[in-house]
Amino acid sequence: LPNLPNLPNLPNLPNLPIFTPQQIARLSSNIAEVKPHLSKAEIYEMRKKHVPEACILFYDPSPLQIVRAKGQYMYDEQGNEYLDCINNVCHVGHCHPDVVKAGQRQMAILNTNSRYLSELNATYAQRLAGTFPAPLDTVIFMNSGSEATELALELCRVWNDALDFICVDSGYHGHTRSAITVSNYKYGHPRGIGQPQHIQQMDLPDTYRGEYREQDKAGQQYGDQANQLVENIHKRGARVAGFIGESALSCGGQIILPPGYLQTVFKAVRGAGGLCIADEVQVGFGRCGTGMWVFETQGVIPDIVTIGKPMGNGHPMSAVITTAAIAAKYTANRPEYFNTYGGNPVSMAVGMAVLDVIQKEGLVQHAKRTGDKFLVELEQLEKKHMCIGDVRGMGLFLGIEFVLDRESRDPDENTAVLIKKEMLRNKIIVSTEGRYNNIIKIKPPMKFDQNNVEHFIAHFDKAIAKVVAMQ
């Protein structure tokens, strides 16, 4: 072997403690014992040195340092408890013991790639497919929503031997190159790549701020635009590969699709030979309280569904769900699909445990009950505070839009951001979203209960009043 260069001296690292099971149990019940080895300032400076600014932090330049979480609560390095209102990844609750135990147990037995026959892989695929309507019966596993989008788009390209897609304004489907090309949230950014030539973009179907505002007509009106976009693709001498859209738009501002929207879009796209993708990465697994999948509220069955974030409750998992016919055409026209970690035994055990918890704890029904109460309480605040222009959502997927004036509906980013900061001072974590960053979004862990709703509303009411009085 060639001579290797001398390695630089490494800094002295702290001696990491080795805990007994009894000590671990105490740590789980006493947050004050969980202490980082470096000061918050040291960690922040270390991160600034080695991690680019493109990887943002919440509340920068005074970010939270979270060291532990449980259920719907997160804890900082000083032991302060925060109510988490935005973490839709830890779906069944942070560090749910059943999910943690399933992962630990399987990790101690076997973890390898999916090219070996695995009962866990097969049974989880069957169980997951069973939550979808026919003919969606074929499952392909990967690790992130971006990867799921990549494969979903490729399935469409193969199906119709086409490259052109239709997407939705403010939609977000991932950070890989192909995913960015169908994500206006990314390509439309001031530093984005711009709308690619092979992409047609539909207007955001927003019944509060958009062109069409009558609920009983807006779905058809917004959806009809797909016919013109199909025609635009044909004028380019191209074919339609497919349509991709979120079943409810999160980055777009917690937008609930008006009735009939997807039916109209799907008809236009399928009429041109394309496939229809429903992105359920942010809203799936019962978050909206209407069932497991939000596309069902639109009375449609997609050709392809992408799922991710909540699938592993924080463990990196995603999947594409499609039909046997679409999968077969891909198999006949492309090399094998292999994903090193997708479908590994530990992920399958974790995913199975998440489904168990959703069923055992009745979390879909819980999301409906809690969300209904939340929406009613928010609507009362809307009547009280003129700066709230709109309250919307389903289940535990809600948005509060702030405006300068209800008549003009001019967005008020400043008030939304100040309220977000005021809520943090009260140990409640929320975030802002939407094209104008004027919408406070709520999509907490599904353990979020009615006591949490009352706690949130009391502080939200005071925060709004305080911020308005300051202006």
Side-chain angles (χ1 to χ4, degrees), residues 243-272:
F243 163 83
I244 183 167
E246 297 164 84
S247 300
L249 286 96
S250 181
C251 293
Q254 311 298 90
I255 302 296
I256 304 302
L257 301 179
Y261 175 75
L262 287 184
Q263 289 181 348
T264 306
V265 175
F266 281 21
K267 182 179 179 181
V269 172
R270 286 171 170 163

PDB file of all heavy atoms in Angstrom, residues 243-272:
ATOM      1  N   PHE A 243     -49.055  14.463 -14.231  1.00  0.00           N
ATOM      2  CA  PHE A 243     -49.358  15.555 -13.323  1.00  0.00           C
ATOM      3  C   PHE A 243     -48.884  15.155 -11.936  1.00  0.00           C
ATOM      4  O   PHE A 243     -49.037  14.002 -11.522  1.00  0.00           O
ATOM      5  CB  PHE A 243     -50.867  15.828 -13.292  1.00  0.00           C
ATOM      6  CG  PHE A 243     -51.322  16.644 -12.105  1.00  0.00           C
ATOM      7  CD1 PHE A 243     -51.223  18.029 -12.121  1.00  0.00           C
ATOM      8  CD2 PHE A 243     -51.844  16.028 -10.968  1.00  0.00           C
ATOM      9  CE1 PHE A 243     -51.634  18.786 -11.030  1.00  0.00           C
ATOM     10  CE2 PHE A 243     -52.259  16.773  -9.874  1.00  0.00           C
ATOM     11  CZ  PHE A 243     -52.154  18.158  -9.906  1.00  0.00           C
ATOM     12  N   ILE A 244     -48.303  16.111 -11.196  1.00  0.00           N
ATOM     13  CA  ILE A 244     -47.952  15.868  -9.807  1.00  0.00           C
ATOM     14  C   ILE A 244     -48.479  17.010  -8.956  1.00  0.00           C
ATOM     15  O   ILE A 244     -48.323  18.186  -9.295  1.00  0.00           O
ATOM     16  CB  ILE A 244     -46.428  15.690  -9.620  1.00  0.00           C
ATOM     17  CG1 ILE A 244     -46.104  15.353  -8.148  1.00  0.00           C
ATOM     18  CG2 ILE A 244     -45.642  16.907 -10.103  1.00  0.00           C
ATOM     19  CD1 ILE A 244     -44.685  14.867  -7.927  1.00  0.00           C
ATOM     20  N   GLY A 245     -49.135  16.648  -7.863  1.00  0.00           N
ATOM     21  CA  GLY A 245     -49.670  17.663  -6.957  1.00  0.00           C
ATOM     22  C   GLY A 245     -49.842  17.097  -5.565  1.00  0.00           C
ATOM     23  O   GLY A 245     -50.088  15.896  -5.392  1.00  0.00           O
ATOM     24  N   GLU A 246     -49.706  17.958  -4.571  1.00  0.00           N
ATOM     25  CA  GLU A 246     -49.965  17.555  -3.191  1.00  0.00           C
ATOM     26  C   GLU A 246     -51.470  17.442  -2.969  1.00  0.00           C
ATOM     27  O   GLU A 246     -52.238  18.254  -3.471  1.00  0.00           O
ATOM     28  CB  GLU A 246     -49.372  18.579  -2.230  1.00  0.00           C
ATOM     29  CG  GLU A 246     -47.864  18.709  -2.310  1.00  0.00           C
ATOM     30  CD  GLU A 246     -47.370  19.979  -1.644  1.00  0.00           C
ATOM     31  OE1 GLU A 246     -47.198  19.966  -0.416  1.00  0.00           O
ATOM     32  OE2 GLU A 246     -47.157  20.978  -2.366  1.00  0.00           O
ATOM     33  N   SER A 247     -51.868  16.454  -2.196  1.00  0.00           N
ATOM     34  CA  SER A 247     -53.296  16.277  -1.920  1.00  0.00           C
ATOM     35  C   SER A 247     -53.860  17.407  -1.075  1.00  0.00           C
ATOM     36  O   SER A 247     -55.064  17.645  -1.056  1.00  0.00           O
ATOM     37  CB  SER A 247     -53.522  14.931  -1.226  1.00  0.00           C
ATOM     38  OG  SER A 247     -53.080  13.866  -2.053  1.00  0.00           O
ATOM     39  N   ALA A 248     -53.008  18.094  -0.349  1.00  0.00           N
ATOM     40  CA  ALA A 248     -53.286  19.384   0.301  1.00  0.00           C
ATOM     41  C   ALA A 248     -51.932  20.078   0.350  1.00  0.00           C
ATOM     42  O   ALA A 248     -50.939  19.466   0.725  1.00  0.00           O
ATOM     43  CB  ALA A 248     -53.868  19.203   1.698  1.00  0.00           C
ATOM     44  N   LEU A 249     -51.886  21.344  -0.043  1.00  0.00           N
ATOM     45  CA  LEU A 249     -50.595  22.007  -0.219  1.00  0.00           C
ATOM     46  C   LEU A 249     -50.095  22.593   1.094  1.00  0.00           C
ATOM     47  O   LEU A 249     -50.779  23.432   1.705  1.00  0.00           O
ATOM     48  CB  LEU A 249     -50.688  23.108  -1.276  1.00  0.00           C
ATOM     49  CG  LEU A 249     -50.776  22.581  -2.720  1.00  0.00           C
ATOM     50  CD1 LEU A 249     -52.220  22.503  -3.165  1.00  0.00           C
ATOM     51  CD2 LEU A 249     -49.965  23.442  -3.657  1.00  0.00           C
ATOM     52  N   SER A 250     -48.920  22.172   1.498  1.00  0.00           N
ATOM     53  CA  SER A 250     -48.362  22.619   2.769  1.00  0.00           C
ATOM     54  C   SER A 250     -47.523  23.881   2.599  1.00  0.00           C
ATOM     55  O   SER A 250     -47.837  24.930   3.159  1.00  0.00           O
ATOM     56  CB  SER A 250     -47.524  21.507   3.406  1.00  0.00           C
ATOM     57  OG  SER A 250     -47.001  21.905   4.642  1.00  0.00           O
ATOM     58  N   CYS A 251     -46.445  23.796   1.825  1.00  0.00           N
ATOM     59  CA  CYS A 251     -45.595  24.975   1.616  1.00  0.00           C
ATOM     60  C   CYS A 251     -46.366  26.103   0.946  1.00  0.00           C
ATOM     61  O   CYS A 251     -46.015  27.280   1.081  1.00  0.00           O
ATOM     62  CB  CYS A 251     -44.365  24.600   0.784  1.00  0.00           C
ATOM     63  SG  CYS A 251     -43.233  23.481   1.637  1.00  0.00           S
ATOM     64  N   GLY A 252     -47.400  25.777   0.211  1.00  0.00           N
ATOM     65  CA  GLY A 252     -48.233  26.785  -0.434  1.00  0.00           C
ATOM     66  C   GLY A 252     -49.100  27.561   0.538  1.00  0.00           C
ATOM     67  O   GLY A 252     -49.743  28.536   0.150  1.00  0.00           O
ATOM     68  N   GLY A 253     -49.163  27.103   1.811  1.00  0.00           N
ATOM     69  CA  GLY A 253     -49.924  27.843   2.806  1.00  0.00           C
ATOM     70  C   GLY A 253     -51.100  27.088   3.386  1.00  0.00           C
ATOM     71  O   GLY A 253     -52.136  27.690   3.679  1.00  0.00           O
ATOM     72  N   GLN A 254     -50.953  25.760   3.562  1.00  0.00           N
ATOM     73  CA  GLN A 254     -52.026  24.941   4.148  1.00  0.00           C
ATOM     74  C   GLN A 254     -53.309  25.088   3.310  1.00  0.00           C
ATOM     75  O   GLN A 254     -54.389  25.383   3.824  1.00  0.00           O
ATOM     76  CB  GLN A 254     -52.288  25.333   5.601  1.00  0.00           C
ATOM     77  CG  GLN A 254     -51.032  25.421   6.489  1.00  0.00           C
ATOM     78  CD  GLN A 254     -50.290  24.115   6.636  1.00  0.00           C
ATOM     79  OE1 GLN A 254     -49.396  23.809   5.858  1.00  0.00           O
ATOM     80  NE2 GLN A 254     -50.635  23.349   7.634  1.00  0.00           N
ATOM     81  N   ILE A 255     -53.171  24.830   2.025  1.00  0.00           N
ATOM     82  CA  ILE A 255     -54.286  24.984   1.081  1.00  0.00           C
ATOM     83  C   ILE A 255     -55.036  23.667   0.948  1.00  0.00           C
ATOM     84  O   ILE A 255     -54.461  22.635   0.588  1.00  0.00           O
ATOM     85  CB  ILE A 255     -53.777  25.427  -0.306  1.00  0.00           C
ATOM     86  CG1 ILE A 255     -53.001  26.748  -0.210  1.00  0.00           C
ATOM     87  CG2 ILE A 255     -54.931  25.527  -1.291  1.00  0.00           C
ATOM     88  CD1 ILE A 255     -53.823  27.921   0.227  1.00  0.00           C
ATOM     89  N   ILE A 256     -56.322  23.701   1.236  1.00  0.00           N
ATOM     90  CA  ILE A 256     -57.202  22.541   1.040  1.00  0.00           C
ATOM     91  C   ILE A 256     -57.807  22.655  -0.357  1.00  0.00           C
ATOM     92  O   ILE A 256     -58.405  23.678  -0.708  1.00  0.00           O
ATOM     93  CB  ILE A 256     -58.311  22.503   2.102  1.00  0.00           C
ATOM     94  CG1 ILE A 256     -57.700  22.503   3.527  1.00  0.00           C
ATOM     95  CG2 ILE A 256     -59.196  21.286   1.887  1.00  0.00           C
ATOM     96  CD1 ILE A 256     -56.763  21.360   3.819  1.00  0.00           C
ATOM     97  N   LEU A 257     -57.653  21.609  -1.158  1.00  0.00           N
ATOM     98  CA  LEU A 257     -58.151  21.650  -2.532  1.00  0.00           C
ATOM     99  C   LEU A 257     -59.669  21.766  -2.562  1.00  0.00           C
ATOM    100  O   LEU A 257     -60.365  21.062  -1.824  1.00  0.00           O
ATOM    101  CB  LEU A 257     -57.727  20.382  -3.276  1.00  0.00           C
ATOM    102  CG  LEU A 257     -56.222  20.115  -3.375  1.00  0.00           C
ATOM    103  CD1 LEU A 257     -55.978  18.807  -4.127  1.00  0.00           C
ATOM    104  CD2 LEU A 257     -55.495  21.268  -4.058  1.00  0.00           C
ATOM    105  N   PRO A 258     -60.208  22.634  -3.416  1.00  0.00           N
ATOM    106  CA  PRO A 258     -61.666  22.748  -3.527  1.00  0.00           C
ATOM    107  C   PRO A 258     -62.262  21.481  -4.144  1.00  0.00           C
ATOM    108  O   PRO A 258     -61.596  20.773  -4.911  1.00  0.00           O
ATOM    109  CB  PRO A 258     -61.861  23.962  -4.434  1.00  0.00           C
ATOM    110  CG  PRO A 258     -60.581  24.096  -5.194  1.00  0.00           C
ATOM    111  CD  PRO A 258     -59.500  23.582  -4.295  1.00  0.00           C
ATOM    112  N   PRO A 259     -63.497  21.157  -3.812  1.00  0.00           N
ATOM    113  CA  PRO A 259     -64.132  19.933  -4.315  1.00  0.00           C
ATOM    114  C   PRO A 259     -64.100  19.854  -5.840  1.00  0.00           C
ATOM    115  O   PRO A 259     -64.357  20.840  -6.534  1.00  0.00           O
ATOM    116  CB  PRO A 259     -65.578  20.052  -3.807  1.00  0.00           C
ATOM    117  CG  PRO A 259     -65.493  20.957  -2.623  1.00  0.00           C
ATOM    118  CD  PRO A 259     -64.393  21.928  -2.920  1.00  0.00           C
ATOM    119  N   GLY A 260     -63.778  18.670  -6.339  1.00  0.00           N
ATOM    120  CA  GLY A 260     -63.786  18.430  -7.778  1.00  0.00           C
ATOM    121  C   GLY A 260     -62.508  18.803  -8.488  1.00  0.00           C
ATOM    122  O   GLY A 260     -62.368  18.550  -9.694  1.00  0.00           O
ATOM    123  N   TYR A 261     -61.559  19.377  -7.789  1.00  0.00           N
ATOM    124  CA  TYR A 261     -60.329  19.852  -8.436  1.00  0.00           C
ATOM    125  C   TYR A 261     -59.546  18.699  -9.064  1.00  0.00           C
ATOM    126  O   TYR A 261     -59.231  18.723 -10.261  1.00  0.00           O
ATOM    127  CB  TYR A 261     -59.469  20.599  -7.425  1.00  0.00           C
ATOM    128  CG  TYR A 261     -58.115  21.026  -7.951  1.00  0.00           C
ATOM    129  CD1 TYR A 261     -57.998  22.105  -8.825  1.00  0.00           C
ATOM    130  CD2 TYR A 261     -56.950  20.350  -7.581  1.00  0.00           C
ATOM    131  CE1 TYR A 261     -56.762  22.516  -9.311  1.00  0.00           C
ATOM    132  CE2 TYR A 261     -55.711  20.747  -8.060  1.00  0.00           C
ATOM    133  CZ  TYR A 261     -55.618  21.817  -8.924  1.00  0.00           C
ATOM    134  OH  TYR A 261     -54.393  22.200  -9.410  1.00  0.00           O
ATOM    135  N   LEU A 262     -59.216  17.693  -8.263  1.00  0.00           N
ATOM    136  CA  LEU A 262     -58.405  16.599  -8.801  1.00  0.00           C
ATOM    137  C   LEU A 262     -59.165  15.788  -9.852  1.00  0.00           C
ATOM    138  O   LEU A 262     -58.569  15.274 -10.804  1.00  0.00           O
ATOM    139  CB  LEU A 262     -57.911  15.683  -7.683  1.00  0.00           C
ATOM    140  CG  LEU A 262     -56.792  16.242  -6.793  1.00  0.00           C
ATOM    141  CD1 LEU A 262     -56.334  15.180  -5.790  1.00  0.00           C
ATOM    142  CD2 LEU A 262     -55.598  16.725  -7.629  1.00  0.00           C
ATOM    143  N   GLN A 263     -60.460  15.661  -9.701  1.00  0.00           N
ATOM    144  CA  GLN A 263     -61.235  14.954 -10.730  1.00  0.00           C
ATOM    145  C   GLN A 263     -61.067  15.632 -12.082  1.00  0.00           C
ATOM    146  O   GLN A 263     -60.861  14.961 -13.108  1.00  0.00           O
ATOM    147  CB  GLN A 263     -62.717  14.922 -10.340  1.00  0.00           C
ATOM    148  CG  GLN A 263     -63.038  14.002  -9.169  1.00  0.00           C
ATOM    149  CD  GLN A 263     -64.527  13.998  -8.836  1.00  0.00           C
ATOM    150  OE1 GLN A 263     -65.286  14.841  -9.318  1.00  0.00           O
ATOM    151  NE2 GLN A 263     -64.939  13.056  -8.007  1.00  0.00           N
ATOM    152  N   THR A 264     -61.147  16.947 -12.097  1.00  0.00           N
ATOM    153  CA  THR A 264     -61.025  17.702 -13.346  1.00  0.00           C
ATOM    154  C   THR A 264     -59.620  17.595 -13.925  1.00  0.00           C
ATOM    155  O   THR A 264     -59.436  17.371 -15.135  1.00  0.00           O
ATOM    156  CB  THR A 264     -61.382  19.179 -13.095  1.00  0.00           C
ATOM    157  OG1 THR A 264     -62.669  19.272 -12.474  1.00  0.00           O
ATOM    158  CG2 THR A 264     -61.406  19.960 -14.397  1.00  0.00           C
ATOM    159  N   VAL A 265     -58.605  17.735 -13.071  1.00  0.00           N
ATOM    160  CA  VAL A 265     -57.222  17.657 -13.532  1.00  0.00           C
ATOM    161  C   VAL A 265     -56.901  16.257 -14.039  1.00  0.00           C
ATOM    162  O   VAL A 265     -56.304  16.091 -15.117  1.00  0.00           O
ATOM    163  CB  VAL A 265     -56.254  18.061 -12.400  1.00  0.00           C
ATOM    164  CG1 VAL A 265     -54.806  17.854 -12.836  1.00  0.00           C
ATOM    165  CG2 VAL A 265     -56.475  19.500 -11.977  1.00  0.00           C
ATOM    166  N   PHE A 266     -57.276  15.249 -13.290  1.00  0.00           N
ATOM    167  CA  PHE A 266     -56.962  13.860 -13.670  1.00  0.00           C
ATOM    168  C   PHE A 266     -57.583  13.509 -15.021  1.00  0.00           C
ATOM    169  O   PHE A 266     -56.968  12.833 -15.849  1.00  0.00           O
ATOM    170  CB  PHE A 266     -57.470  12.888 -12.602  1.00  0.00           C
ATOM    171  CG  PHE A 266     -56.586  12.784 -11.383  1.00  0.00           C
ATOM    172  CD1 PHE A 266     -55.682  13.786 -11.055  1.00  0.00           C
ATOM    173  CD2 PHE A 266     -56.682  11.691 -10.527  1.00  0.00           C
ATOM    174  CE1 PHE A 266     -54.880  13.699  -9.918  1.00  0.00           C
ATOM    175  CE2 PHE A 266     -55.877  11.584  -9.407  1.00  0.00           C
ATOM    176  CZ  PHE A 266     -54.978  12.592  -9.098  1.00  0.00           C
ATOM    177  N   LYS A 267     -58.802  13.975 -15.243  1.00  0.00           N
ATOM    178  CA  LYS A 267     -59.477  13.682 -16.513  1.00  0.00           C
ATOM    179  C   LYS A 267     -58.702  14.266 -17.692  1.00  0.00           C
ATOM    180  O   LYS A 267     -58.513  13.593 -18.724  1.00  0.00           O
ATOM    181  CB  LYS A 267     -60.906  14.239 -16.491  1.00  0.00           C
ATOM    182  CG  LYS A 267     -61.703  13.940 -17.760  1.00  0.00           C
ATOM    183  CD  LYS A 267     -63.129  14.493 -17.653  1.00  0.00           C
ATOM    184  CE  LYS A 267     -63.913  14.205 -18.923  1.00  0.00           C
ATOM    185  NZ  LYS A 267     -65.305  14.759 -18.845  1.00  0.00           N
ATOM    186  N   ALA A 268     -58.226  15.497 -17.533  1.00  0.00           N
ATOM    187  CA  ALA A 268     -57.478  16.140 -18.624  1.00  0.00           C
ATOM    188  C   ALA A 268     -56.152  15.440 -18.873  1.00  0.00           C
ATOM    189  O   ALA A 268     -55.770  15.191 -20.028  1.00  0.00           O
ATOM    190  CB  ALA A 268     -57.241  17.612 -18.279  1.00  0.00           C
ATOM    191  N   VAL A 269     -55.438  15.099 -17.828  1.00  0.00           N
ATOM    192  CA  VAL A 269     -54.113  14.487 -17.963  1.00  0.00           C
ATOM    193  C   VAL A 269     -54.219  13.071 -18.503  1.00  0.00           C
ATOM    194  O   VAL A 269     -53.473  12.673 -19.411  1.00  0.00           O
ATOM    195  CB  VAL A 269     -53.380  14.513 -16.602  1.00  0.00           C
ATOM    196  CG1 VAL A 269     -52.088  13.702 -16.667  1.00  0.00           C
ATOM    197  CG2 VAL A 269     -53.089  15.952 -16.190  1.00  0.00           C
ATOM    198  N   ARG A 270     -55.144  12.300 -17.977  1.00  0.00           N
ATOM    199  CA  ARG A 270     -55.306  10.923 -18.453  1.00  0.00           C
ATOM    200  C   ARG A 270     -55.813  10.888 -19.895  1.00  0.00           C
ATOM    201  O   ARG A 270     -55.459   9.984 -20.655  1.00  0.00           O
ATOM    202  CB  ARG A 270     -56.252  10.163 -17.527  1.00  0.00           C
ATOM    203  CG  ARG A 270     -55.596   9.799 -16.190  1.00  0.00           C
ATOM    204  CD  ARG A 270     -56.593   9.254 -15.197  1.00  0.00           C
ATOM    205  NE  ARG A 270     -55.926   8.705 -14.026  1.00  0.00           N
ATOM    206  CZ  ARG A 270     -56.529   8.456 -12.869  1.00  0.00           C
ATOM    207  NH1 ARG A 270     -57.834   8.720 -12.727  1.00  0.00           N
ATOM    208  NH2 ARG A 270     -55.858   7.959 -11.849  1.00  0.00           N
ATOM    209  N   GLY A 271     -56.595  11.882 -20.245  1.00  0.00           N
ATOM    210  CA  GLY A 271     -57.055  11.959 -21.621  1.00  0.00           C
ATOM    211  C   GLY A 271     -55.931  12.166 -22.615  1.00  0.00           C
ATOM    212  O   GLY A 271     -56.057  11.841 -23.799  1.00  0.00           O
ATOM    213  N   ALA A 272     -54.804  12.696 -22.119  1.00  0.00           N
ATOM    214  CA  ALA A 272     -53.630  12.912 -22.970  1.00  0.00           C
ATOM    215  C   ALA A 272     -52.599  11.787 -22.810  1.00  0.00           C
ATOM    216  O   ALA A 272     -51.488  11.896 -23.333  1.00  0.00           O
ATOM    217  CB  ALA A 272     -52.987  14.251 -22.627  1.00  0.00           C
TER     218      ALA A 272
END
